[in-house]
Structure formats: C-alpha cells, structure tokens
Amino acid sequence: MTTPQVEAFLEMMAVERDASPHTLSAYGRDLADAEAALPEGLLQADESAIEAWYVGLGARGLSAATQARRRASIRQFYRFALGEGWRTDDPSRRLDAPKQGRSLPRTLSRDEIEGLLAAAAARDGAGGLRLVALVELAYASGLRVSELLGLRVEAVRRDPAFLIVRGKGGKERLAPLNASARDAVKTWLIARDAARPEKAPDSPWLFPSASAKGHLTPRRFAQLLDQSALDAGIDPARVSPHVLRHAFATHLLEGGADLRVVQTLLGHADIATTQIYTHVATDRLAQVVRDKHPLAKDG
C-alpha cells in the first residue's frame, strides 16, 4: 500500500524531475519494499532500522545493481521528506553504495545470428517475414527495443539507408540500415500491407499489433526470439532483443570500428558505457587466437 507521503514524492518526481513511468514504477516498488520491511514505516524509521533493511537486501539475494537502485530511491525520498518538513534528519545518510562488479553484456556469434535469421525465415506466413525484419533491423542498426518497436511505417516507406531515431533524453541520432535489413523491411512491408483489411485505416507503426500501444510489445518480441533460438539450437536464455544490440556493437568492434563511432551509433552519452564492449570483443579475439594459432595448441 502506498502512503500519502510516497505518493507526494512520486508526483514531485513526475512533475519536477520529468521522471519516466518506468522510473516512477521502480521508485514506487523500492519504497513499498522499505515501508513493508520497516516496523515503524519510512517516516518514523531511525538510522539503525534503515541500515538493517539495507543490509538485508543482500541477504535476500538481490543483485548489487538492485541494491544500489533501492539505496538511491530511499535517499531521494528522505531528501524530499526533509524539504517538506516531515523529518528533521536523514536516516539514510550513512548507507554505502554496494560494490558492483563489471558484468559483461551477453552477445551472439555471427553464426548464431545467421542461425536466428534462418529459423525466423523458416516460419510460415507474414509472421516469419516480420520476425526476419525485426532481427535484421536490430542487428543492422543497434536500436534499443523501444526504438525498434516504436518505428513508424512512414520512416521506411522510401527505403532509407539511415533512420533518424529519437533515443534517451530525446536525443536524435542516425541509425544505419544495410542492404540485408532494407530488403527484409521491403518484403515485410508487402506482407504487412497485404494483410490490412480493405478500406481499413493504416496503422502508423511499422510493426502493428492489437496491444494497448498499437504496436508489437517487447514481451512478444522476446517470445518470438525464444522460439527462433530453440529452432536454431541456441539456448533461449542467451537470446533477447537487447542481446541483438550487444551483438551489433561487439561485431563492429571486432571488425575494427572506432569506439567513438560505436558510441554514436548506440546513442551512449558516456563513452564509458560503450567501452564495456571492448572487453567482450577482446575476449572473443583471444579465444580465436587460442583456438586457431598453431603455437597456441597443445603438443
């Protein structure tokens, strides 16, 4: 149950900080967890109670990233509570951020990407053509899943070599389309238009569906990828829409692309976010040397 104070905090975050619905939902879950776990509730809890709750997050098996987010949520709330005069102190002030290890992004090999595409192409009807277009677009351009599924049909009607994408923070960037992706989109458009009932208004979305937003959802795309992974003999746990974006970046760096170029194509504000892909690419190249170099072989 959300308290009036938490509701006021979330309203402030929405109005004054322009927080996204996803961020507001995360704050709400974090604060609800603390409210339920603290015997005296958020407004009456002292430092020892807050610290005990925070230590307990690790004991419950929550990841360092989740712990860090919950720490940020509760600290933001208490800053707001101080400003509103609900409290005269900040019981979260001594919470230390958890140490987070570097987690490398999951990715797929070029052969596995080809396998996914072959499995998608083997599906009957327009569904297979749609899935091929989705995978080709994601892998060719490095689009985030929200950017991919939110593409408007008029953006591709004229067979562009680049898409203008509005990413995080409303920043625009160019996303490239190779010949394979453009062919897949053209084939999908033919099937898409043929499936529209006569005289029915056209959907504005490239990948329309009956969902509340009118276009394919990330969950449904992930389900389709899971089935294609199984068909291709790939563990579905290794495949997701975001993994296609990882593969795009990793394979570019393996091919010698400049890190700054990859940063621009991915829409990363900070190059440090992009640099993690260099570790994946380096690991892959080291494995190639171990497997293929004659002096690296035993005996």
Side-chain angles (χ1 to χ4, degrees), residues 5 24 51 95 101 106 112 145 147 212 215 218 231 241-242 244 269 296:
Q5 292 82 11
L24 293 174
E51 290 172 6
L95 296 182
R106 291 176 296 162
E112 287 171 329
V145 64
E147 297 166 348
H215 58 67
D231 293 343
H242 207 61
L244 298 176

Side-chain angles (χ1 to χ4, degrees), residues 2-17 24 31 43 76-77 80-81 84 86:
T2 304
T3 66
Q5 292 82 11
V6 170
E7 288 183 355
F9 167 72
L10 295 176
E11 182 177 355
M12 179 277 295
M13 292 296 293
V15 174
E16 297 183 16
R17 306 283 181 84
L24 293 174
L31 295 174
L43 280 185
Q76 289 272 14
F77 173 77
F80 179 68
E84 293 295 305
W86 299 336

Side-chain angles (χ1 to χ4, degrees), residues 27-171:
Y27 273 127
R29 290 194 303 272
D30 294 344
L31 295 174
D33 179 86
E35 181 71 32
L38 295 165
E40 297 180 347
L42 280 167
L43 280 185
Q44 302 301 321
D46 58 18
E47 283 191 1
S48 61
I50 293 295
E51 290 172 6
W53 163 77
Y54 186 59
V55 170
L57 297 180
R60 285 158 55 184
L62 298 183
S63 69
T66 300
Q67 293 177 55
R69 194 195 69 217
R70 293 200 172 174
R71 170 183 177 269
S73 298
I74 205 166
R75 294 197 69 184
Q76 289 272 14
F77 173 77
Y78 281 123
R79 288 193 188 100
F80 179 68
L82 279 170
E84 293 295 305
W86 299 336
R87 290 196 61 127
T88 58
D89 65 324
D90 178 1
S92 68
R93 63 188 179 88
R94 296 194 303 183
L95 296 182
D96 293 327
K99 294 181 180 179
Q100 300 188 51
R102 179 184 294 273
S103 59
L104 296 179
R106 291 176 296 162
T107 188
L108 298 170
S109 69
R110 292 176 176 81
D111 287 343
E112 287 171 329
I113 293 289
E114 291 295 331
L116 272 182
L117 286 168
R123 298 172 69 94
D124 292 333
L129 299 177
R130 180 181 66 177
L131 187 53
V132 170
L134 283 162
V135 176
E136 287 279 13
L137 278 172
Y139 180 59
S141 62
L143 294 176
R144 297 180 178 93
V145 64
S146 59
E147 297 166 348
L148 172 63
L149 300 181
L151 286 175
R152 292 183 171 268
V153 70
E154 69 260 20
V156 299
R157 285 288 188 194
R158 296 185 179 180
D159 187 26
F162 290 87
L163 295 172
I164 299 175
V165 180
R166 187 179 296 276
K168 288 186 176 180
K171 295 181 179 179

Side-chain angles (χ1 to χ4, degrees), residues 273-288:
T273 308
T274 317
Q275 282 175 327
I276 194 168
Y277 292 103
T278 64
H279 295 272
V280 179
T282 300
D283 289 348
R284 183 72 57 80
L285 293 173
Q287 182 63 48
V288 170

